[in-house]
């Protein structure tokens, strides 16, 4: 983005910093946006809650995506509550095209209210493709100015007390705007009502079409959903005999709508989250929404005839796994070898390496959030006698690992932290981080932070760097680090195999199983590398998948795994 | 316009997303409304990629169980895993070249017998078109063109409101120039393979 336009773009070290960078730019009158996943807002929440008090001068939009069903997340928290908690306005698109329209609306809204606007999406919208009509992009302002105004911008208690009053005034103004916003609209007619938001609106539209009930049920779609337009909702309720709330996640709107009904003394039935209707769990789908609408309002409904799967044998699982030639596999194997005979706890962190949880590697025992490997290690090591070995990736180390390590040195905890440094943010698609050599990406003007230097500067007394594809040497180095009393850090350095390929770094030759193989199967059983397969009762290596890391060759008791000959 | 729902399942790296994007482009060229989405959480790490493409008058970008008009599986076990998307009128197309899940390689599961797998699908769906798309991709001169072979078969069924011509035009726009000839050949081989099954 930064290369293709005059917009400034950065990968910030974590979400709190991203929000702070964007907040400062917006306070200089420059439009800014920060983008993160739902749990990222937890990291940024400290900045967010007070930014709501301080407000902005130029438009600021905070985009975050919830992940109902947890396709690739550790929880399915509903970030709409951040709007409620912060008092900030929130918009929610239902489709790709609307998302595009809503971004400029959100910026205008932000500038009208002098507040950042929360732009809440979900995985399903972000992973959708649709046709959008492009408009004109307005002239960009990329330089601003900061005007000193400490009595409104420095949130000491006396200032903050005043700012909270202002926030509530802005809240009222926002609610007025929500009352007339084109993104809160009603379709259809009839005595029954549906109130919905986000992707659910698409399922509602399709269901109404399928059930042919356009003249029986009207729909209030909320796109400007915080503050909720009280008057709009109340008049909608007054025109309904019963109302169904359709929203993925928590009953965020349902609770508010019920409160509005109470204020008006309305006794109509309002339901949403219920055992026989909608769940707080997971993602909704069109069939489920159609069924619930038909059931709640008593429409005739023919359920979809799904094929009978009773006689289908269980299909073997295909869980995501560490890639062929992934350096994490080597490190995990070596840690297990070096820790043989020890009772261990393996706190882990967020990244590809979390996939070490499955056997045979089994190197993940506890996980909360980014950085939790380091913090929880302190707790585990204080209250148990077990050897605590924690794993964190390079990107996650910068994101949230450093304060935990400082804490461990200061409080004299006793554990080994393994930094799995593969030179990129691998899991999410090779985004750079402060430890990355940006010249490899042909990008100039960046600094670079050494993990080893940071760890040493923090005061860790035992620091060792290993090259995980050198198995014997690594195991010895790990053993020493594990025996150290206090905080020890092992940095395991080897580029991500996929990243190395993408960068066109020199590739190694693939390996093959030679006739010396006596079928011990240590390779397959201890490493579970996806380049291996069994054919005709024999172990084989797929040369198209093998990256030549030689890990298997070093652990084969018969030395039967050899490089593929150039001529072969 | 009548709504047609297509589910495409594949293993990460098989080119499901490119095939879906070609179909998207073809729909745009033919003026057919299309809503689509894909889930590829950790697909690059060997997981499953599932795309949902809804053609015609609908708003949803997701397809519920039993509601696919056509299911295309790039890998036989994945086709079987997605059978819950089908009803008795669904047309199923599957590649017959397996990609062993590593769980099978390390003895944590048994790969379904291919004959039995086809029998099961044939008994449940309206029609099964099954062939080795990997062999045809090889024949076309590009082992990675399994996705284009299956695209050919998909268009041959006529279930989707897309013409062969528009899909080929979309291929020209969306696939790499250096692979275009082999991709077009792969498409044709898939088209013929499906025609023979009929």
């Amino acid at each position: 983005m930064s290369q293709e336009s005059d917009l400034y773009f950065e990968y910030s070290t974590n979400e709190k910093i991203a929000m702070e960078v964007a907040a400062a730019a917006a306070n200089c009158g420059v439009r800014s946006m920060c983008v993160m996943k739902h749990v990222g807002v937890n990291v940024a929440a400290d900045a967010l809650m007070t930014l709501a008090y301080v407000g902005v001068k130029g438009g600021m939009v905070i985009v975050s995506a919830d992940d109902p069903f947890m396709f690739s997340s550790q929880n399915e928290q509903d970030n709409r509550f951040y709007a409620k908690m912060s008092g900030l306005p929130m918009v929610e698109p239902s489709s790709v095209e609307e998302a595009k329209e809503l971004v400029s609306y959100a910026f205008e809204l932000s500038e009208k209210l002098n507040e950042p606007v929360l732009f809440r999406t979900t995985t399903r919208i972000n992973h959708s493709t649709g046709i959008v009509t492009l408009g004109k992009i307005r002239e960009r302002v990329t330089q601003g100015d900061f005007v000193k105004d400490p009595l409104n911008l420095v949130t000491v208690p006396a200032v903050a007390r005043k700012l909270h009053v202002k926030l509530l005034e802005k809240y009222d103004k926002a609610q007025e705007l929500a009352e007339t916003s084109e993104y809160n609209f009603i379709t259809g007619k009839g005595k029954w009502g549906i109130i919905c938001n986000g992707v659910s609106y698409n399922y509602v539209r399709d269901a109404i079409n399928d059930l042919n009930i356009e003249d029986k049920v009207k729909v209030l779609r909320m796109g400007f959903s915080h503050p909720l337009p009280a008057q709009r909702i109340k008049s909608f309720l007054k025109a309904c005999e019963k109302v169904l709330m359709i929203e993925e996640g928590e009953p965020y709107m349902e609770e508010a709508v019920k409160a509005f009904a109470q204020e008006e003394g309305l006794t109509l039935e309002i339901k949403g989250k219920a055992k026989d209707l909608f769940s707080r769990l997971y993602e909704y789908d069109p069939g489920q929404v159609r069924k619930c609408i038909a059931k709640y309002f008593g429409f005739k409904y023919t359920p979809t005839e799904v094929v009978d799967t009773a006689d289908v044998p269980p299909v073997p699982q295909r869980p995501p796994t560490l890639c062929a030639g992934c350096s994490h596999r080597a490190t995990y194997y070596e840690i297990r070898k070096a820790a043989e005979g020890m009772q261990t706890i393996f706190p882990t962190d967020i990244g590809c390496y979390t996939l070490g949880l499955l056997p045979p590697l089994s190197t993940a025992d506890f996980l909360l959030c980014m950085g939790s490997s380091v913090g929880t290690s302190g707790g585990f090591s204080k209250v148990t006698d077990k050897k605590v070995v924690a794993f964190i990736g390079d990107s996650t180390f910068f994101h949230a690992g450093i304060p935990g390590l400082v804490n461990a040195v200061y409080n004299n905890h006793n554990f080994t932290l393994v930094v799995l440094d593969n030179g990129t943010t691998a899991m999410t698609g090779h985004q750079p981080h402060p430890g990355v050599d940006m010249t490899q990406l042909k990008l100039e003007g960046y600094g670079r932070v050494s993990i080893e230097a940071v760890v040493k500067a923090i005061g860790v007394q035992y620091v060792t760097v290993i090259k995980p594809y050198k198995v014997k040497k690594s195991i010895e180095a790990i053993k020493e680090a594990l025996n150290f009393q206090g905080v020890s850090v092992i940095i395991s350095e080897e580029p991500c195999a996929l990243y190395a390929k993408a960068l066109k770094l020199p590739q190694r030759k693939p390996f093959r199983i030679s006739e010396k193989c006596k079928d011990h199967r240590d390779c397959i059983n201890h490493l579970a590398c996806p380049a291996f397969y069994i054919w005709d009762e024999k172990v084989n290596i797929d040369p198209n998948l093998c990256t030549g890391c030689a890990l298997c060759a070093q652990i084969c008791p018969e030395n039967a795994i050899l490089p593929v000959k150039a001529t072969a | 316009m009548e709504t047609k729902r297509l589910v495409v399942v594949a293993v990460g790296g098989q080119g499901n997303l490119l095939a879906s994007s070609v179909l998207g482009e073809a729909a745009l060229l033919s003026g057919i409304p299309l809503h689509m989405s894909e889930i590829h959480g950790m697909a690059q790490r060997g997981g499953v990629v599932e795309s949902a493409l809804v053609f015609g008058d609908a708003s949803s970008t997701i397809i519920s169980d039993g509601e696919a008009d056509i299911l295309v599986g790039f890998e036989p076990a994945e086709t079987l895993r997605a059978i819950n998307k089908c009803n008795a009128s669904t047309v199923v197309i599957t590649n017959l070249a397996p990609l062993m899940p590593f769980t099978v390689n390390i003895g944590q599961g048994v790969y379904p017998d291919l004959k039995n797998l086809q029998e099961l699908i044939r008994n449940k769906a309206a029609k099964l078109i099954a062939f080795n798309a990997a062999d045809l991709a090889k024949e076309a001169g590009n082992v990675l063109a399994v996705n284009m072979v299956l695209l050919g078969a998909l268009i041959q069924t006529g279930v989707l409101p897309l013409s062969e011509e528009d899909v080929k035009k979309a291929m020209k726009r969306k696939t790499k120039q250096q692979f275009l000839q082999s991709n077009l050949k792969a498409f044709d081989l898939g088209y013929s393979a499906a025609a023979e099954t009929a």
Side-chain angles (χ1 to χ4, degrees):
Chain A
M1 209 184 289
S2 61
Q3 304 300 301
E4 289 172 14
S5 77
D6 57 353
L7 291 171
Y8 173 75
F9 173 85
E10 72 170 45
Y11 283 111
S12 304
T13 311
N14 70 32
E15 295 84 355
K16 176 178 183 286
I17 293 162
M19 192 165 298
E20 290 161 350
V21 170
N27 266 285
C28 295
V30 175
R31 281 191 172 189
S32 69
M33 176 183 268
C34 58
V35 183
M36 58 198 69
K37 61 186 286 178
H38 61 329
V39 287
V41 182
N42 300 338
V43 177
D46 203 3
L48 179 68
M49 292 302 138
T50 308
L51 176 61
Y53 281 29
V54 170
V56 291
K57 309 283 187 289
M60 176 169 170
V61 176
I62 299 159
V63 181
S64 78
D66 290 8
D67 191 11
F69 193 69
M70 298 163 276
F71 287 103
S72 47
S73 303
Q74 65 268 42
N75 74 28
E76 54 180 352
Q77 68 183 45
D78 190 330
N79 271 18
R80 292 178 298 170
F81 287 104
Y82 272 116
K84 211 171 165 180
M85 183 147 74
S86 64
L88 290 174
M90 170 173 63
V91 294
E92 298 180 72
S94 289
S95 69
V96 173
E97 178 151 32
E98 195 183 26
K100 191 216 117 213
E101 304 293 328
L102 210 45
V103 168
S104 58
Y105 179 80
F107 271 112
E108 283 159 23
L109 186 61
S110 169
E111 283 171 357
K112 250 182 229 167
L113 296 165
N114 294 116
E115 283 288 10
V117 170
L118 297 169
F119 193 103
R120 188 254 190 181
T121 67
T122 55
T123 299
R124 188 54 69 174
I125 287 178
N126 297 343
H127 283 219
S128 286
T129 307
I131 296 161
V132 302
T133 315
L134 298 177
K136 246 199 154 145
I137 301 179
R138 54 167 238 160
E139 194 87 1
R140 274 163 308 286
V141 180
T142 54
Q143 285 297 306
D145 191 20
F146 178 70
V147 181
K148 285 178 191 275
D149 183 14
L151 294 182
N152 282 305
L153 298 176
V154 180
T155 50
V156 293
V159 172
R161 276 179 213 119
K162 198 174 65 181
L163 292 179
H164 196 186
V165 176
K166 273 195 189 165
L167 172 61
L168 295 186
E169 287 165 10
K170 288 177 188 174
Y171 179 96
D172 289 343
K173 199 172 156 196
Q175 193 167 36
E176 266 171 50
L177 293 171
E179 294 286 358
T180 54
S181 171
E182 68 203 269
Y183 291 100
N184 296 330
F185 56 80
I186 296 169
T187 60
K189 54 180 190 221
K191 57 181 180 174
W192 291 320
I194 289 171
I195 302 179
C196 61
N197 71 326
V199 277
S200 307
Y201 174 61
N202 303 322
Y203 311 153
V204 169
R205 272 179 70 164
D206 286 352
I208 286 179
N209 237 339
D210 294 344
L211 296 165
N212 203 11
I213 51 170
E214 292 89 345
D215 55 348
K216 296 189 179 71
V217 179
K218 52 180 174 282
V219 178
L220 172 56
R221 202 295 306 261
M222 308 303 308
F224 183 163
S225 52
H226 190 266
L228 284 166
Q231 293 315 318
R232 197 95 192 259
I233 292 171
K234 284 173 182 175
S235 61
F236 183 81
L237 295 178
K238 280 179 197 161
C240 291
E241 285 179 14
K242 65 196 268 194
V243 164
L244 183 60
M245 304 295 308
I246 307 182
E247 53 185 328
E248 285 178 340
E250 299 299 317
Y252 162 79
M253 292 196 296
E254 184 178 339
E255 286 170 357
V257 167
K258 283 175 174 168
F260 291 145
Q262 197 274 342
E263 281 173 21
E264 291 298 299
L266 299 170
T267 55
L268 79 164
E269 186 177 285
I270 302 168
K271 273 192 176 174
K273 305 290 173 189
K275 269 208 177 104
D276 56 342
L277 287 169
F278 291 106
S279 170
R280 295 180 186 210
L281 296 170
Y282 312 145
E283 197 182 37
Y284 291 177
D285 68 80
Q288 168 198 20
V289 168
R290 190 192 315 127
K291 186 174 146 192
C292 287
I293 291 175
K295 187 175 178 182
Y296 185 66
F297 296 112
F299 294 116
K300 223 184 106 194
Y301 162 75
T302 332
T304 316
E305 297 261 349
V306 184
V307 295
D308 178 18
T309 54
D311 58 345
V312 174
V315 180
Q317 288 303 305
R318 202 185 288 275
T321 174
L322 295 173
C323 303
C326 174
S327 57
H328 301 333
R329 178 178 293 105
T331 310
Y332 282 147
Y333 173 81
E334 290 151 9
I335 294 278
R336 291 216 68 111
K337 274 281 160 200
E340 255 171 13
M342 293 181 181
Q343 284 205 304
T344 51
I345 302 174
F346 296 128
T348 190
D349 225 298
I350 300 215
C352 289
Y353 48 96
T354 321
L355 298 174
L357 92 156
L358 292 177
L361 298 171
S362 306
T363 40
D365 293 326
F366 198 76
L367 172 63
L368 297 174
C369 59
M370 288 187 80
S372 73
S373 59
V374 197
T376 59
S377 290
F380 285 125
S381 69
K382 278 288 165 198
V383 302
T384 72
D385 290 330
K386 293 185 175 164
K387 176 64 203 175
V388 178
V389 185
F391 299 101
I392 191 166
D394 42 352
S395 176
T396 308
F397 176 78
F398 287 113
H399 176 284
I402 295 171
L405 195 58
V406 173
N407 180 69
V409 169
Y410 168 59
N411 287 307
N412 198 22
H413 289 309
N414 178 27
F415 63 84
T416 301
L417 176 67
V418 184
V419 183
L420 299 156
D421 181 3
N422 61 3
T424 188
T425 315
M427 183 51 116
T428 47
H430 302 137
Q431 290 80 2
H433 63 66
V436 169
D437 177 2
M438 296 294 275
T439 58
Q440 279 189 327
L441 298 166
K442 300 188 176 60
L443 291 169
E444 300 294 327
Y446 288 89
R448 190 177 177 190
V449 181
S450 149
I451 294 174
E452 189 181 352
V454 169
V455 170
K456 284 183 173 160
I458 286 172
V460 174
Q461 294 300 307
Y462 194 100
V463 184
T464 182
V465 178
I466 62 167
K467 300 285 175 194
Y469 291 159
K470 294 184 174 160
V471 176
K472 248 191 200 154
K473 239 178 139 177
S474 296
I475 292 175
E476 276 164 32
I478 293 165
K479 272 186 184 161
E480 275 184 41
L482 296 187
N483 286 328
F484 182 80
Q485 282 297 306
V487 182
S488 59
V489 170
I490 300 166
I491 303 169
S492 179
E493 285 179 353
E494 181 62 41
C496 161
L498 293 179
Y499 186 57
K501 212 170 162 188
L503 287 179
K504 301 199 165 44
L505 297 182
Q507 300 289 303
R508 302 174 179 92
K509 263 189 216 150
F511 278 67
R512 66 185 174 91
I513 310 282
S514 73
E515 48 300 326
K516 287 201 275 180
C517 173
K518 291 203 175 145
D519 210 27
H520 297 284
R521 299 198 180 183
D522 281 10
C523 47
I524 266 196
N525 292 339
H526 295 327
L527 303 178
C529 171
F532 280 83
Y533 64 98
I534 309 274
W535 186 256
D536 223 4
E537 300 290 308
K538 282 199 192 99
V539 178
N540 284 273
I541 296 175
D542 182 341
N544 295 315
L545 289 178
C546 177
T547 65
C549 77
L551 171 63
C552 53
Q554 294 171 71
I555 73 157
C556 174
E558 304 292 338
N559 291 318
I561 307 179
L562 302 171
V564 172
K565 283 176 216 139
T567 48
Chain B
M1 182 182 285
E2 204 188 345
T3 308
K4 289 290 174 191
R5 296 182 170 86
L6 161 67
V7 173
V8 184
V9 288
V11 176
Q14 282 194 301
N16 176 352
L17 299 183
L18 179 62
S20 301
S21 126
V22 167
L23 289 170
E25 187 73 15
L28 194 60
L29 285 169
S30 10
I32 309 280
L34 169 65
H35 293 86
M36 57 190 269
S37 72
E38 75 264 347
I39 290 298
H40 51 91
M42 301 201 242
Q44 210 168 25
R45 315 292 175 263
V48 182
V49 189
E50 183 181 311
S51 302
L53 295 95
V54 184
F55 297 84
D57 295 330
S59 304
S60 304
T61 63
I62 182 173
I63 297 167
S64 299
D65 286 359
E67 298 195 351
D69 293 296
I70 185 156
L71 166 68
V72 180
F74 286 22
E75 201 282 339
E78 293 314 318
T79 313
L80 187 61
R81 199 196 306 280
I83 196 72
N84 57 318
K85 292 288 173 198
C86 301
N87 59 55
S89 319
T90 307
V91 174
V92 180
I93 301 172
T94 189
N95 177 13
L96 285 178
L99 287 174
M100 281 299 154
F102 87 98
T103 48
V104 172
N105 290 341
I106 59 171
Q108 285 177 355
V110 180
Y111 196 88
D113 174 70
L114 286 182
K115 235 178 166 176
N116 182 31
L117 177 146
Q118 292 177 71
E119 202 55 38
L120 275 168
I121 299 173
R122 206 168 275 129
N123 288 339
K124 295 179 194 303
K127 183 178 177 182
L128 172 68
I129 299 169
F131 56 88
N132 189 316
D135 283 351
L136 295 184
K138 216 179 278 170
E139 192 184 327
N142 178 3
V143 287
L144 295 175
V146 166
N147 53 352
M148 298 300 143
V149 172
L150 291 161
L151 214 51
L154 168 67
I155 296 308
Q156 193 281 332
T157 62
V159 175
L160 299 182
L162 297 176
S163 69
E164 182 185 338
E165 198 194 340
D166 281 339
V167 175
K168 284 188 169 171
K169 228 186 264 173
M171 284 168 68
K172 278 175 202 147
R173 289 195 186 183
K174 286 281 170 187
T175 67
K176 279 192 187 143
Q177 195 54 42
Q178 63 192 110
F179 298 124
L180 182 62
Q181 282 318 310
S182 58
N183 278 340
L184 288 171
K185 190 168 178 201
F187 180 96
D188 287 339
L189 288 171
Y191 194 99
S192 310
E196 279 161 32
T197 312

